[in-house]
């Protein structure tokens, strides 16, 4: 069981980080426009984040093994279709379906581990979860680049289909596990009502529709904001629709008999605090994964390989620090203090990076803040998933895992889109007036900002006479650096506020009907 879940958690992050690496090759072969091409990544992220909570609830209702098997089958088929697709719209649709499968796999996989292991065994299992997920994040982009360069982009998606087929083959051997109190009651009800053919398990369709729809509209509006304009009718309508849908979700969950999300979970201070930890990781670590390499390409003139090698300073520590977190717990440090140390490293790391980032910065100067960020994320990777399951009732662990991962994936997609938009706007503002001195440049500041944000300065330079290129490069790189420092310092402030809030909330105790009914294995 553990091997199947760990292989799954190695595959899913590579699908997030690696698909972006394959996009140039997809574009060259299909001739797809940039707007459609981007949805190879966005479609997967949107459905992945939007359906996490719904899949967590279904895991509680239908059984974790059943949802895990369904997710593995859907991800396998969608990846195979992606590998064979000749049309960009078919590829976008297949990637969106793969995101639905990934949501089912992630929530049910975490729940399977949580209900199978206890005490120290659970800590070790979730430590392994952190290592495998970290390996996917750390090595996914490099592996995708190697496969795409040697075998083509179709092989990247085909490899995912092949590996997930192995996972799917293990499903009959997984433990049946508990489907939660409601599912148990449902099965008994099925025995009493089999003659009528009534369905014993009630799915919160209204809650699923309003929550998934609201989150989808919010993420879609955030992704398209820089392209359509934040004041455009389309973006404003999407954002307003998301507010209406999410407000309707709250009303629905208060009234339905079997809600997808029991809102009483949010009264549990420790549960709320633990769910906010991935948000801190998003604002400090995750936003750097797709964006910092582009800065190094422009401001340092680095090659793609050099930029990728520099990022290893941040990602490789994730492979070893989850084990360090387990050892700290074994040596008597409380989970609250381990999480506090993690949050301190994440907040200090992003502030440290803001203070050293400058054009021409060397990998040696970047090493300390990037390693600090990697250590900070590694200390809570996997550990936070296990801790969430310790502070809720057994019948709610699927929903709890779904809510945790919804905040994790949702905050990542929203924060990356928001940071990208902020960088484009700030670069445009910083260089707008200065472009008047370069009459040979026939583009606009918006075109320049979009090009630089994508890591390309060669395009804007191509139209300039050779003597002016140096001055133009200095102007752009300093404007880009100022924009990055603004975004990083803002992120540091957000992380600091959230970190203090989390540490205070972790000092509380589970309360209400959804507190765990078993003995808590560790002292907070």
């Amino acid at each position: 069981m553990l091997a199947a879940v760990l292989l799954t958690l190695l595959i899913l992050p590579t699908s997030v980080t690696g698909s972006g690496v394959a996009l140039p090759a997809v574009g060259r072969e299909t001739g797809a426009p940039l707007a459609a091409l981007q949805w190879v990544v966005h479609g997967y992220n949107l459905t992945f984040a939007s359906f996490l909570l719904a899949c967590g609830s279904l895991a509680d209702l239908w059984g974790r093994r059943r949802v895990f098997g369904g997710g593995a089958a859907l991800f396998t088929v969608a990846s195979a279709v992606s590998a064979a697709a000749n049309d960009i719209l078919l590829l976008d649709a297949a990637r969106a379906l793969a995101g639905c499968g990934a949501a089912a796999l992630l929530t049910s996989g975490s729940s399977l581990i949580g209900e199978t292991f206890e005490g120290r065994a659970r800590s070790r299992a979730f430590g392994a979860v952190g290592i495998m997920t970290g390996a996917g994040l750390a090595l996914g982009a490099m592996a995708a680049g190697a496969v795409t360069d040697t075998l083509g982009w179709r092989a990247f998606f085909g490899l995912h289909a092949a590996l997930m087929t192995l996972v799917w083959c293990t499903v009959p051997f997984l433990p049946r596990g508990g489907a939660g109190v409601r599912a148990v009651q449902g099965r008994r009800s099925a025995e009493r009502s089999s003659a009528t053919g009534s369905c014993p398990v009630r799915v919160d369709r209204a809650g699923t529709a309003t929550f998934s729809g609201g989150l989808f509209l919010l993420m879609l509006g955030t992704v398209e904001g820089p392209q359509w304009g934040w004041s455009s009718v389309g973006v404003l309508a999407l954002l307003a629709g998301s507010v209406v849908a999410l407000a309707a979700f709250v009303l629905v969950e208060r009234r339905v008999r079997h809600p997808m999300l029991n809102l009483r979970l949010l009264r549990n201070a420790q549960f709320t605090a633990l769910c906010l930890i991935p948000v801190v990781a998003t604002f400090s670590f995750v936003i750097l994964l797709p964006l910092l390499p582009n800065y190094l390409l422009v401001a340092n003139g680095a090659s793609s390989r050099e930029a990728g090698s520099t990022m290893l300073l941040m990602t490789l520590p994730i492979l070893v620090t989850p084990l360090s977190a387990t050892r700290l717990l074994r040596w008597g440090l409380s989970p609250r203090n381990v999480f506090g140390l993690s949050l301190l490293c994440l907040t200090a790391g992003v502030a440290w990076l803001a203070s050293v980032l400058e054009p021409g910065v060397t990998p040696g100067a970047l090493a300390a803040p990037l390693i600090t960020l990697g250590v900070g994320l590694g200390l809570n990777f996997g550990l936070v998933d296990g801790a969430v399951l310790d502070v809720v009732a057994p019948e709610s662990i699927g929903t709890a895992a779904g809510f945790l991962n919804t905040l994790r994936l949702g905050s990542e997609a929203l924060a990356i889109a928001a940071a990208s938009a902020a960088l484009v706007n700030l670069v445009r503002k910083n260089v707008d007036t200065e472009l008047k001195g370069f009459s040979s440049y026939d583009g606009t500041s918006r075109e320049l900002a979009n090009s630089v944000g994508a890591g390309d300065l060669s395009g804007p330079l191509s139209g300039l006479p050779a003597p002016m290129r140096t001055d133009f490069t200095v102007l752009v790189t300093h404007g880009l650096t100022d924009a990055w420092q603004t975004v990083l310092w803002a992120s540091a402030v957000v992380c600091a506020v959230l970190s203090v809030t989390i540490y205070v909330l972790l000092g509380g105790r589970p309360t209400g009907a959804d507190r765990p009914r078993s003995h808590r294995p560790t002292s907070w």
Side-chain angles (χ1 to χ4, degrees), residues 288-376:
L288 300 178
L289 288 173
L291 301 178
L292 186 58
N294 293 338
Y295 174 85
L296 298 176
L297 292 174
V298 172
N300 282 15
S303 65
S304 297
R305 179 174 297 180
E306 291 170 342
S309 298
T310 301
M311 295 302 292
L312 289 176
L313 293 169
M314 186 174 73
T315 55
L316 286 180
I318 306 173
L319 300 179
V320 296
T321 41
L323 290 178
S324 301
T326 303
R327 290 193 183 97
L328 290 174
L329 291 174
R330 194 178 303 143
W331 293 341
L333 198 64
S334 69
R336 183 190 184 200
N337 287 330
V338 173
F339 288 130
L341 180 60
S342 168
L343 296 171
L344 178 62
C345 288
L346 290 170
T347 303
V350 72
W352 197 348
L353 181 61
S355 65
V356 303
L357 201 66
E358 62 182 5
V361 63
T362 65
L366 291 173
L370 293 184
I371 291 173
T372 300
L373 285 165
V375 170

Side-chain angles (χ1 to χ4, degrees), residues 65-285:
R65 188 176 76 172
R66 184 181 298 178
V67 173
F68 187 86
L74 182 58
F75 191 93
T76 301
V77 171
S79 297
V81 172
S82 298
N86 290 316
D87 180 77
I88 188 62
L89 295 181
L90 177 60
L91 178 58
D92 289 343
R95 292 294 292 156
L97 286 176
C100 296
L105 286 164
L106 185 59
T107 53
S108 57
S110 298
S111 299
L112 280 170
I113 293 177
E115 69 179 6
T116 303
F117 298 95
E118 295 180 358
R120 290 184 177 180
R122 177 185 284 187
S123 297
R124 288 194 295 268
F126 277 107
V129 165
I131 293 174
M132 296 302 287
T133 309
L137 286 175
L139 306 176
M142 295 182 65
V147 171
T148 301
D149 289 343
T150 56
L151 301 176
W153 65 269
R154 296 181 186 278
F156 171 70
F157 296 116
L159 182 60
H160 277 175
L163 291 175
M164 193 56 71
T165 299
L166 296 177
V167 173
W168 184 79
C169 290
T170 69
V171 171
F173 305 100
L174 298 179
R176 287 186 175 274
V181 170
R182 285 175 287 172
V184 172
Q185 294 172 343
R187 286 195 296 270
R188 293 173 179 170
S189 176
E191 297 174 356
R192 295 192 300 266
S193 57
S194 58
T196 64
S198 60
C199 178
V201 176
R202 299 182 181 181
V203 178
D204 181 10
R205 295 183 178 87
T208 300
T210 52
F211 181 83
S212 300
L215 184 57
F216 183 89
L217 291 175
L218 176 60
M219 295 174 67
L220 181 60
T222 303
V223 167
E224 296 297 348
Q227 307 303 323
W228 300 353
W230 290 103
S231 59
S232 66
V233 174
V235 170
L236 292 177
L238 289 172
L239 297 179
S242 72
V243 173
V244 172
L246 292 175
F249 168 73
V250 174
L251 294 177
V252 167
E253 297 307 278
R254 287 180 174 178
R255 297 189 177 188
V256 296
R257 184 174 181 181
H258 300 300
M260 180 176 69
L261 172 64
N262 187 341
L263 295 177
R264 288 180 298 177
L265 279 174
L266 301 181
R267 300 176 187 173
N268 185 329
Q270 288 184 349
F271 173 76
T272 302
L274 291 167
C275 289
L276 288 176
I277 290 176
V279 180
V280 176
T282 292
F283 278 93
S284 55
F285 183 98

Side-chain angles (χ1 to χ4, degrees), residues 54-70:
C55 289
S57 179
L58 291 178
D60 285 338
L61 289 168
W62 290 349
R64 281 107 202 191
R65 188 176 76 172
R66 184 181 298 178
V67 173
F68 187 86

